[in-house]
């Protein structure tokens, strides 16, 4: 039997071990289709982005990896970039391909009716795999922006066939320890069909590819009111939940800070993760952020996001699983629901402060970062050059 004291140690250990991967693009300028706002001190190249990532890791102890986006994070020497990351105590996580910013892709990339364009999209992934080899990354992440705007514009089934062929070529080019992460999104940039609109379509392609192809669940990529934790439960069951792209949304793909719009949903998601024992690194679920900070300071927003994931995780870890199972088995509907709500309503901030202090970190990462002067330093130093941003 677990005593409360050992249970609490287990919770602390699990929290101390959890890692969250940061997106390099969260540190660059971003905006909406109406305006990209420029913020002072924003990185001018991938090296400076990684320096900012290292700050988030330094104050949270929980963000040791950064996802890159190619070609936004194009450099001459990826060995050097990986070494720079290592020197700062972080490593390169998923490599994201980019199929949405080239004129050739107006009618699609891997699903384009023209074989020349499809071959170009495949080749881009071969280049991304080279970046993986140079940086030690193990995850190739593919979000397919392809789709159509008008009924009849293209053959829906033919596009699926072209997609399957392109994915098979990419998958075959991966090394044995590489994974392919396939993301879905229900609308945008196209508005009639998307070629991978949902987890079912992503899963169908992953199953055809092989065991190292898994689904990425971006929390902002669902129709309003979709029960995301159900999808999480199902994908874990099937061993095909490869990663999350965490963010939050009020309306569409808002890419706001995770846990800002709906912390209860985040808790419900983490509850499925913890219930399935998928928090452990060996479970293969990569907890990534995919966010843009259009109007708020970016480094602090990333720190806040990491903390929000940690809070939801802590609450999920506090669910009394034994009592929950008993309540569920005996049909105690309100008792079972009450156990979840008890955990959700617990203030876990003191517990997380303790976990940080046990690791030699400040109890309040945001306050510690603010007091460090790094924000002022980069504003003073990063003058001239071109700030990183969408398309840069
Ligand atoms: C897409 C998708 C991808 C991300 C880009 C920046 O909407 O969510 O995961 O790489 O945005
Ligand atoms: Mn995403």
């Amino acid at each position: 039997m677990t005593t409360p004291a050992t249970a609490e140690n287990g919770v602390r250990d699990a929290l101390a071990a959890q890692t969250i991967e940061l997106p390099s693009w969260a540190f660059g300028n971003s905006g909406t289709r109406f305006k990209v706002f420029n913020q002072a001190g924003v990185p001018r190249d991938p090296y400076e982005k990684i320096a900012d990532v290292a700050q988030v890791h330094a104050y949270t102890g929980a963000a040791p990896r950064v996802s890159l986006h190619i070609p936004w994070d194009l450099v001459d020497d990826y060995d050097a970039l990986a070494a720079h990351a290592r020197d700062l105590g972080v490593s390169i996580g998923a490599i994201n391909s980019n199929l949405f910013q080239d004129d050739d892709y107006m009618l699609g990339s891997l699903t384009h009716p023209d074989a020349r364009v499809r071959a170009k999209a495949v080749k881009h992934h071969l280049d991304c795999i080279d970046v993986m080899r140079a940086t030690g990354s193990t995850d190739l992440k593919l979000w397919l922006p392809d789709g159509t705007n008008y009924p009849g514009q293209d053959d829906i089934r033919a596009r699926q066939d072209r997609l399957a062929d392109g994915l098979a070529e990419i998958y075959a080019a991966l090394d044995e320890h590489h994974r392919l992460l396939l993301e879905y999104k229900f609308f945008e940039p196209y508005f009639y069909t998307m070629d991978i609109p949902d987890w079912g379509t992503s899963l169908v392609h992953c199953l055809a590819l092989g065991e190292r192809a898994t689904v990425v669940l971006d929390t902002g990529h669902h129709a309003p009111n979709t029960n995301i934790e159900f999808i999480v439960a199902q994908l874990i069951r099937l061993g095909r939940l490869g990663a999350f792209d965490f963010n939050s949304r009020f309306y569409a793909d808002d890419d706001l800070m995770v846990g800002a719009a709906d912390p209860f949903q985040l808790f419900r998601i983490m509850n499925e993760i913890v219930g399935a024992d998928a928090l452990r690194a060996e479970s293969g679920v990569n907890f990534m952020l995919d966010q843009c900070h259009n109007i708020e300071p970016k480094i602090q927003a990333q720190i806040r996001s990491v903390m929000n994931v940690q809070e939801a995780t802590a609450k999920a870890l506090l669910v009394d699983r034994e009592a929950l199972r008993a309540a569920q088995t005996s049909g105690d509907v309100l008792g079972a629901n009450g156990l979840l709500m008890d955990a959700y309503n617990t203030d876990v901030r003191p517990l997380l402060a303790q976990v940080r202090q046990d690791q030699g970190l400040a109890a309040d990462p945001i306050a510690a970062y603010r007091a460090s002067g790094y924000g002022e330093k980069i504003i003073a130093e990063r003058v001239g050059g071109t700030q990183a941003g969408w398309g840069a």
Side-chain angles (χ1 to χ4, degrees):
M1 222 186 89
T2 38
T3 65
T6 49
E8 193 182 310
N9 287 342
V11 169
R12 286 192 200 187
D13 291 348
L15 289 171
Q18 184 183 28
T19 64
I20 294 148
E21 183 167 319
L22 309 185
S24 69
W25 52 99
F27 298 87
N29 286 321
S30 60
T32 65
R33 61 198 158 124
F34 299 101
K35 169 74 180 155
V36 170
F37 295 104
N38 297 310
Q39 291 188 17
V42 156
R44 290 147 320 159
D45 59 35
Y47 288 85
E48 291 183 348
K49 289 182 193 173
I50 290 177
D52 290 0
V53 168
Q55 288 291 305
V56 179
H57 184 46
Y59 291 99
T60 61
R65 294 182 308 283
V66 53
S67 314
L68 301 184
H69 220 295
I70 309 298
W72 294 344
D73 293 318
L74 214 52
V75 293
D76 293 336
D77 184 346
Y78 281 100
D79 292 303
L81 190 69
H84 168 73
R86 254 194 320 276
D87 287 346
L88 294 171
V90 296
S91 65
I92 308 299
I95 301 299
N96 289 250
S97 60
N98 186 321
L99 299 170
F100 52 93
Q101 287 183 315
D102 191 305
D103 282 337
D104 270 349
Y105 297 149
M106 188 169 76
L107 301 180
S109 59
L110 292 172
T111 66
H112 197 285
D114 182 345
R116 180 193 66 84
V117 178
R118 296 200 298 276
K120 172 173 168 170
V122 169
K123 167 73 171 65
H124 171 56
H125 289 87
L126 305 186
D127 295 342
C128 287
I129 294 170
D130 284 339
V131 173
M132 292 169 72
R133 292 184 180 125
T135 56
S137 160
T138 56
D139 287 351
L140 175 65
K141 182 172 147 223
L142 199 161
W143 170 60
L144 188 84
D146 298 10
T148 66
N149 270 355
Y150 295 99
Q153 178 192 323
D154 197 3
D155 184 306
I156 294 174
R157 274 180 301 129
R159 291 177 76 89
Q160 288 299 305
D161 293 341
R162 295 172 206 147
L163 174 58
D165 290 348
L167 288 174
E169 272 187 70
I170 295 165
Y171 190 78
L174 292 171
D175 293 341
E176 239 159 55
H177 64 291
H178 289 166
R179 306 195 300 172
L180 190 146
L181 303 178
L182 194 58
E183 183 170 355
Y184 60 92
K185 182 176 177 182
F186 78 119
F187 89 112
E188 203 191 37
Y190 298 96
F191 301 107
Y192 170 54
T193 58
M194 289 293 286
D195 292 314
I196 311 185
D198 50 35
W199 67 276
T201 306
S202 176
L203 180 64
V204 162
H205 285 287
C206 287
L207 292 173
L209 291 172
E211 270 178 14
R212 288 175 293 113
T214 55
V215 178
V216 182
L217 188 159
D218 183 313
T219 45
H221 287 190
H222 304 84
N225 299 328
T226 299
N227 184 330
I228 294 177
E229 61 270 27
F230 177 85
I231 302 170
V232 171
Q234 187 68 286
L235 289 174
I236 293 182
R237 238 189 107 238
L238 299 167
R240 295 288 176 150
L241 179 62
F244 283 99
D245 264 3
F246 278 134
N247 50 57
S248 71
R249 53 80 76 80
F250 288 98
Y251 297 102
D253 187 20
D254 304 351
D255 280 339
L256 299 176
M257 293 187 298
V258 58
D262 190 349
F264 185 46
Q265 179 188 62
L266 183 59
F267 163 74
R268 298 193 312 264
I269 291 171
M270 292 315 300
N271 179 52
E272 288 307 320
I273 293 288
V274 171
D277 198 20
L279 193 59
R280 296 167 300 111
E282 313 82 71
S283 75
V285 181
N286 189 358
F287 301 92
M288 310 189 290
L289 304 182
D290 177 10
Q291 303 181 163
C292 292
H293 306 298
N294 303 348
I295 58 169
E296 65 274 31
K298 297 159 198 302
I299 296 173
Q300 286 179 58
Q302 288 281 290
I303 295 175
R304 165 62 61 205
S305 304
V306 169
M307 293 170 71
N308 286 354
V309 175
Q310 291 179 313
E311 284 175 22
T313 306
K315 291 176 183 204
L317 285 163
L318 290 181
V319 172
D320 184 339
R321 303 267 153 206
E322 227 169 283
L324 182 63
R325 234 179 328 272
Q328 289 171 343
T329 312
S330 66
D332 182 0
V333 175
L334 294 180
N337 176 243
L339 282 160
L340 275 201
M341 295 315 293
D342 281 346
Y344 177 65
N345 287 315
T346 308
D347 183 358
V348 293
R349 290 171 298 180
L351 170 64
L352 280 161
Q354 192 58 55
V355 169
R356 291 188 189 107
Q357 282 172 327
D358 290 348
Q359 292 174 284
L361 300 169
D364 180 345
I366 300 234
Y369 168 77
R370 279 188 192 245
S372 74
Y374 184 84
E376 294 75 21
K377 184 169 103 79
I378 54 176
I379 288 176
E381 282 176 9
R382 294 177 182 168
V383 179
T386 310
Q387 292 191 322
W390 276 61

